[in-house]
Amino acid sequence: MLACRQLSKTYRTERGDVDAVVELDLEVEAGCYAAIIGRSGSGKSSLMAMIGGLSRPSGGTVTIDGTDIWRLGDDALARFRNGRIGFVFQFASLLPTLRLVDNVALPAMLGGARSSASTYDKASALLARMGLRDRVDAYPSEVSAGEQRRAAIARALINDPVLLLADEPTSDLDEQTEIEIMDELMGVNRELGTTLVLVTHNLALAEQAEQIVHIANGVLVA
Amino acid sequence: MRGLLANLALQNLGRRKARTLLLIAAVAVGSGALFAGATLMSSIERSMAVGFTRMGADLMVVPDGALTNITAALLTVEPTDLVLDADLVDKASLTSVGRSAPQKIARVEHSGIGSHHDSVDLIGFDPARDFTIQPWLVEKLNRGLQAGDVILGAGRDAPLGSQLLIFGKPHVVYGRLGRTGVGTHERGVFMASATLEALAGAIQGYGKPMPVLQPGKVTGFLIELAPGATSLQARFAILSTLQGVKVVSGDTTLSGIRQGLTSLLDGILVLMIVMLASTALMVSVLFSAIVTERRGELGLLKAIGARRAQVLGMMMVEAMLATGIGGALGVALGVLVMRLYERSLVYNLDRLGVPFVWDDLARTVAFAAGAVVLSVLVGALGVLYPAWRASRRDAYDLVRGEA
């Protein structure tokens, strides 16, 4: 389902080039829950950004469901991200001027495939699934960090993605909320069959994954 | 989708109210200055068109040998038996000559105007080329000048639209001129050259034939200099090109004022264009800062599938909304400025008898619409580069907030 071949990322800095990911090969089966672990600066977020079509690799390929995503043009890649990949970031990633329901509906509205009414129905249903039925009309600043993260998961699911990428989605949450958020993510993986790739430095979370990818200095360790 | 992005753009403007209000205020000042400036400039130009032509011509070309005793403004030629060809100046194509207005004048008695032996100057002119008679019209019928119409100098009295018999032929009083202090002008009876030529037979029945009444013949030409040309240059060019003519100069001070004020208006126009460009630069700098501040959000939008055009469009809608509102407020500001102008300077000019002609409503509305459209364009151009740069960046760089 997901295949990376000879994937590399080099950042050019004033002090010279920095290799974040070096000729990395990786495969993740459809419906699998994979965890990418490593210390800070190991290159795991750079790897996820390349997998998600957010950061152009310096070399190598990323293939999702048979599509070599970095061979797509800008607009085609944007459409691919919109329709096939869901993102949950490590920060509160909701647009502050939109209500939760607008935030969740936004990717579908950007894609333009569905009518506004059905998009909003689905957005409300997803928020309800995440336990936010009564917070649909609230603005991000009016809900807790945990609720914001749940809304972000709902947004990631609005276009029925085949791949859900979560980049340290619980790093700034308390332990109880972290458990709840992880339950939601794994529930999506189990119940909807969505492939889940989680980037974390929390070994306890990684141990629940079916596949663990350990990176150090941009290189696959195990 | 457009509604959601427009809503997002509107909400973004509301997030930093002070900054948005300052941007709107800056654009409003620019737009107001542009609108008021353009309207006033256009009005001043129109007023100049009236006011300066009222000052008369720069030069007068008459037959060599014609007696001239002109000390005031050059508004009409003087009666003489000598004539020139009507196309004489046109055929010469002199670059120092801007406009030329041919006139023919016949001093007659027994015309039926005034007492029996009063001499009357009948002055024929080309309405399409005239610039010294019609600007002095202070009242006229609500239609264009037609064959058989006459315009009376300020020293003659007859109601508008009334019938006036000249050598027994009926004419309609079309309009009346203001006071000029120039005798010929104040006592004259003006008409289109063709109307005067139609009287030739009747006039000759009372005296000797007048060559000037023949078609294709004129008494002389009133000349306006081309922009930048001097009286001396034009005089030299005319005398060296045309045979059998004499050139009479008007007041050179008036020519200087006319040309100087035209240059001043051109300078104001350049200043307005510079001001507009600086506003566009300011908007660009401001939106560069806004884009930098919001790169995380823009990155997020790209991550969830916003295409480059959508990111670009959202930023442009935001900028165009702000500058458009500023532009509209600027028009209101401009109207206030013009009201103040009207109550002060225009009022005083009016009291002094100096004409100030406001632009008509349609042109003023067009200037207002133009100011708003230009403000919107300034916003679009100002945001274009920073938004285009942001739209080209990798979503991940934007999400991480990298500069």
Side-chain angles (χ1 to χ4, degrees):
Chain A
M1 189 270 166
L2 165 66
C4 303
R5 296 276 177 267
Q6 297 289 294
L7 197 59
S8 301
K9 181 72 182 182
T10 302
Y11 292 105
R12 298 193 184 285
T13 70
E14 289 174 2
R15 295 180 186 173
D17 291 353
V18 175
D19 293 324
V21 178
V22 183
E23 295 182 350
L24 186 142
D25 289 326
L26 171 68
E27 281 200 25
V28 177
E29 292 298 318
C32 178
Y33 165 25
I36 300 174
I37 59 168
R39 297 178 62 179
S40 292
S42 59
K44 55 188 188 300
S45 288
S46 293
L47 172 62
M48 202 204 73
M50 289 188 286
I51 291 172
L54 303 180
S55 179
R56 185 170 289 278
S58 307
T61 60
V62 176
T63 307
I64 298 172
D65 254 3
T67 302
D68 183 350
I69 64 168
W70 287 107
R71 289 179 71 89
L72 298 172
D74 267 356
D75 282 357
L77 181 59
R79 274 191 283 271
F80 189 89
R81 276 199 303 265
N82 178 261
R84 312 297 292 276
I85 306 173
F87 293 96
V88 182
F89 293 103
Q90 61 181 308
F91 53 91
S93 61
L94 301 178
L95 295 176
T97 54
L98 298 182
R99 300 171 302 164
L100 293 191
V101 71
D102 297 322
N103 266 287
V104 174
L106 189 56
M109 301 292 277
L110 285 170
R114 274 196 293 266
S115 73
S116 178
S118 72
T119 296
Y120 272 81
D121 284 348
K122 187 171 182 187
S124 298
L126 283 167
L127 283 169
R129 178 195 163 108
M130 295 296 155
L132 298 169
R133 184 188 302 276
D134 300 330
R135 315 294 276 159
V136 178
D137 291 326
Y139 285 89
S141 59
E142 297 167 350
V143 301
S144 69
E147 287 172 323
Q148 286 186 34
R149 214 52 52 89
R150 288 168 194 274
I153 296 171
R155 182 183 62 196
L157 298 175
I158 187 79
N159 282 339
D160 303 317
V162 293
L163 177 62
L164 184 58
L165 299 175
D167 186 4
E168 304 203 41
T170 59
S171 59
D172 59 342
L173 302 178
D174 62 72
E175 194 177 338
Q176 182 56 37
T177 311
E178 180 177 44
I179 292 168
E180 289 169 10
I181 295 298
M182 282 311 300
D183 281 350
E184 295 291 359
L185 287 171
M186 287 191 287
V188 168
N189 170 247
R190 269 195 318 273
E191 293 161 27
L192 304 178
T194 309
T195 306
L196 173 64
V197 176
L198 174 79
V199 170
T200 183
H201 55 258
N202 186 331
L203 290 177
L205 292 180
E207 279 169 3
Q208 299 173 60
E210 296 160 77
Q211 181 182 351
I212 298 176
V213 180
H214 189 182
I215 295 181
N217 297 323
V219 178
L220 199 61
V221 177
Chain B
M1 182 58 230
R2 280 181 191 152
L4 192 59
L5 281 182
N7 184 36
L8 199 55
L10 200 60
Q11 301 276 2
N12 283 334
L13 286 175
R15 282 163 74 182
R16 295 288 183 102
K17 289 189 177 67
R19 183 170 63 191
T20 303
L21 287 176
L22 281 174
L23 170 65
I24 288 173
V27 175
V29 168
S31 160
L34 185 73
F35 168 57
T39 307
L40 286 173
M41 266 179 60
S42 178
S43 299
I44 288 170
E45 270 182 329
R46 288 187 71 174
S47 304
M48 278 170 59
V50 173
F52 281 143
T53 47
R54 282 189 171 189
M55 292 175 187
D58 297 311
L59 300 172
M60 190 163 72
V61 176
V62 293
D64 195 12
L67 292 172
T68 51
N69 183 29
I70 295 176
T71 53
L74 301 180
L75 297 173
T76 61
V77 292
E78 291 201 316
T80 172
D81 289 338
L82 303 170
V83 293
L84 296 171
D85 288 339
D87 58 356
L88 185 73
V89 174
D90 279 356
K91 273 165 67 179
S93 297
L94 302 169
T95 53
S96 51
V97 172
R99 287 194 289 180
S100 68
Q103 285 186 2
K104 50 174 75 190
I105 184 164
R107 180 162 286 174
V108 296
E109 293 178 351
H110 315 296
S111 62
I113 301 172
S115 61
H116 189 63
H117 289 290
D118 271 359
S119 67
V120 176
D121 289 332
L122 302 179
I123 301 166
F125 64 95
D126 179 350
R129 295 171 67 182
D130 163 64
F131 59 90
T132 62
I133 296 166
Q134 291 167 105
W136 283 94
L137 272 169
V138 289
E139 53 180 346
K140 66 181 183 74
L141 297 179
N142 191 23
R143 59 169 173 78
L145 186 73
Q146 297 172 354
D149 285 348
V150 295
I151 296 169
L152 301 181
R156 299 199 175 274
D157 198 21
L160 282 191
S162 64
Q163 194 181 68
L164 186 68
L165 292 174
I166 305 176
F167 293 104
K169 292 185 179 290
H171 291 76
V172 174
V173 177
Y174 171 77
R176 189 194 331 277
L177 304 182
R179 293 212 166 270
T180 62
V182 178
T184 322
H185 205 265
E186 294 213 342
R187 290 190 307 273
V189 175
F190 302 84
M191 61 196 80
S193 291
T195 303
L196 182 57
E197 286 160 12
L199 284 169
I203 292 171
Q204 281 165 22
Y206 285 88
K208 59 180 179 177
M210 287 188 167
V212 77
L213 297 179
Q214 294 169 19
K217 297 293 179 189
V218 296
T219 309
F221 299 88
L222 290 153
I223 304 288
E224 186 184 273
L225 298 178
T230 65
S231 181
L232 200 62
Q233 285 172 336
R235 172 189 280 270
F236 181 77
I238 292 167
L239 290 175
S240 61
T241 312
L242 307 178
Q243 302 300 314
V245 300
K246 181 164 83 172
V247 178
V248 180
S249 292
D251 187 341
T252 51
T253 314
L254 297 181
S255 305
I257 292 172
R258 179 186 4 245
Q259 290 179 330
L261 267 175
T262 305
S263 304
L264 181 68
L265 287 181
D266 289 346
I268 291 171
L269 185 69
V270 169
L271 272 179
M272 281 182 1
I273 291 169
V274 168
M275 190 183 69
L276 205 65
S278 70
T279 307
L281 281 175
M282 185 199 69
V283 170
S284 189
V285 168
L286 187 65
F287 270 90
S288 290
I290 290 173
V291 165
T292 303
E293 181 186 290
R294 290 224 303 272
R295 60 195 163 205
E297 279 177 40
L298 296 176
L300 178 71
L301 276 170
K302 289 193 77 172
I304 63 175
R307 294 185 292 280
R308 278 177 61 181
Q310 288 173 318
V311 173
L312 198 65
M314 191 189 76
M315 295 300 295
M316 288 188 76
V317 165
E318 195 173 322
M320 287 157 72
L321 262 174
T323 54
I325 292 168
L329 288 176
V331 167
L333 194 68
V335 169
L336 279 176
V337 168
M338 286 191 291
R339 292 284 292 173
L340 285 174
Y341 188 80
E342 189 171 25
R343 281 165 182 260
S344 54
L345 189 60
V346 175
Y347 175 74
N348 286 325
L349 285 173
D350 208 36
R351 283 183 59 191
L352 291 170
V354 177
F356 189 88
V357 186
W358 282 106
D359 248 339
D360 54 57
L361 185 65
R363 268 175 74 87
T364 307
V365 169
F367 280 134
V372 175
V373 168
L374 268 177
S375 301
V376 170
L377 279 177
V378 160
L381 287 174
V383 79
L384 192 61
Y385 181 63
W388 176 77
R389 277 191 62 191
S391 72
R392 282 175 55 90
R393 298 279 302 277
D394 270 351
Y396 187 58
D397 292 344
L398 290 168
V399 166
R400 288 200 309 173
E402 286 186 358

